[in-house]
Structure formats: structure tokens, C-alpha cells
Amino acid sequence: MTQGLVIVFWLALCALQDMRQRQIANVLTLGAGLLALAYLLWVGVTWIGAPASDGGWAFALALLLGLPGYALGRFGAGDVKLLAALGLATHTEYLLWSLIGSAVAMSVWVVMRQGLSARVAHHSDQASRKQPFAPYLLTGFIACWLWIH
């Protein structure tokens, strides 16, 4: 249970920075990924207790799903590193359900945003055209974590 809270706290820091700066610092993504990898290699399980092989598969899946989005300009490099670190810290089920949850959260936000006045929507478009991904991933992870536990 505590491990999940640490991941929620980490994702919240990433989400906050992504919303404010439209990027995530390498300290938060690569640092967490390296810590998750060191823990996985030292203890033999992921941060949440899954077998090391599950963390490895989740890492590979994160890259498989994230890199095409980066190549197409849909994801930033920080988003791909965030997914990879999440994969190393958890396992494929958490990664996939977090991504599904993030897609649902993003869809809900788009529908809600369409209901806003044109003036408010136009104003927020001027701030940045890049949509922050980390807040949606945080939402998806929390939903997954609450569902599994």
C-alpha cells in the first residue's frame, strides 16, 4: 500500500511540473527510472512487489507504446521516460490500465472543455498547444491502484 502512495506522490510531482512548464525534469523521470531499476536488480522485484521479469516487460511495453507517439509528436520525451519509469516500478497490468485510465481522463477533459465558452477555451490555447500528459497518467494510475487494491 505504501509503495503505491510513493508512486502517486511521484506522479503528482511530475503532473504538477508538466502542467506548469509543459515538460518534466530528467531528475523526476530518469532519476525515478534509475531508482526503480536499481531496486528491481537489488531486490529482484519491482517497487510494488511484482517479479523482476514483469517490470522488464512493462518497461519494454512502455517504450513500444511511447516511442511511436514521440516520433509522431504526440508525446514528449519526458512522457516516454515517465512511462518507462512507471513500467520499471510496477508491471504490465498497472502500466496498461494506467494508460487506459489516462485516455478516459483525457477524453472526459476534452468533452468538458468543449462545454466551456469559446473565450475561455481560446485563452487556454494561447498558453501552450502541447497538452500535458502526466496529469492524465496520474489519474489513470490512481484509478488503477484503487481498483486493484
Side-chain angles (χ1 to χ4, degrees), residues 27-42 47 85 88-89:
V27 170
L28 289 174
T29 56
L30 290 177
L34 288 173
L35 286 174
L37 179 61
Y39 185 86
L40 186 129
L41 294 173
W42 184 265
W47 178 248
L88 285 171

Side-chain angles (χ1 to χ4, degrees), residues 32-92:
L34 288 173
L35 286 174
L37 179 61
Y39 185 86
L40 186 129
L41 294 173
W42 184 265
V43 180
V45 296
T46 66
W47 178 248
I48 62 164
S53 61
D54 287 353
W57 282 112
F59 172 77
L61 185 60
L63 292 179
L64 182 68
L65 296 174
L67 287 175
Y70 175 73
L72 294 172
R74 304 287 184 202
F75 277 148
D79 300 329
V80 176
K81 291 180 277 188
L82 182 67
L83 285 174
L86 182 62
L88 285 171
T90 61
H91 56 71
T92 55

Side-chain angles (χ1 to χ4, degrees), residues 66-118:
L67 287 175
Y70 175 73
L72 294 172
R74 304 287 184 202
F75 277 148
D79 300 329
V80 176
K81 291 180 277 188
L82 182 67
L83 285 174
L86 182 62
L88 285 171
T90 61
H91 56 71
T92 55
E93 186 178 1
Y94 268 100
L95 180 73
L96 290 174
W97 281 112
S98 295
L99 282 169
I100 291 168
S102 68
V104 170
M106 190 177 290
S107 298
V108 168
W109 173 249
V110 167
V111 169
M112 286 175 44
R113 188 173 173 186
Q114 288 175 349
L116 297 175
S117 71

Side-chain angles (χ1 to χ4, degrees), residues 5-55:
L5 285 175
V6 171
I7 293 173
V8 167
F9 180 72
W10 165 65
L11 286 172
L13 288 175
C14 293
L16 185 62
Q17 188 175 49
D18 200 14
M19 287 186 302
R20 287 184 176 173
Q21 300 175 3
R22 299 298 194 254
Q23 65 182 5
I24 307 168
N26 283 336
V27 170
L28 289 174
T29 56
L30 290 177
L34 288 173
L35 286 174
L37 179 61
Y39 185 86
L40 186 129
L41 294 173
W42 184 265
V43 180
V45 296
T46 66
W47 178 248
I48 62 164
S53 61
D54 287 353

